[in-house]
Amino acid sequence: MLENELKEYRINHNLTQKQMAKKLRTSQSYYSAIEKGRLKPGFVLINRIGRVLKKDVSEIRNLL
C-alpha cells in the first residue's frame, strides 16, 4: 500500500513528515493524511511521489 511505501521511504531516509511534505511540495497535514491512509493523492502528487520513490506512475497507482 502507498502509505507503507511512503512511511518506509521517509524513515529509511531519516526524514520527518514535514521534510517529506516539503520534498513533495505539499503541506505536512495533507502528507500525514496520505501516509495514514485517510486521503488518496491526486494525479500531480502521484507523479511527484513516483519521482521521489523512483517508481513508475503505474506502480504508484497500483499501490492505491
Side-chain angles (χ1 to χ4, degrees):
M1 298 185 76
L2 181 59
E3 49 271 18
N4 297 334
E5 291 279 330
L6 287 169
K7 188 171 185 176
E8 184 178 319
Y9 176 90
R10 182 176 63 77
I11 290 169
N12 288 339
H13 288 84
N14 297 314
L15 298 170
T16 64
Q17 284 188 345
K18 187 174 183 177
Q19 291 168 323
M20 187 67 171
K22 185 175 181 180
K23 196 175 193 70
L24 294 171
R25 294 180 295 181
T26 192
S27 71
Q28 187 271 328
S29 59
Y30 185 63
Y31 173 79
S32 177
I34 292 170
E35 190 178 280
K36 291 177 181 175
R38 286 191 261 143
L39 291 175
K40 300 292 182 198
F43 183 74
V44 172
L45 192 54
I46 287 172
N47 284 322
R48 291 179 192 157
I49 291 169
R51 284 194 298 268
V52 168
L53 299 183
K54 295 184 174 124
K55 293 185 180 246
D56 191 71
V57 173
S58 61
E59 288 180 78
I60 301 299
R61 282 197 216 141
N62 288 335
L63 294 171
L64 294 175

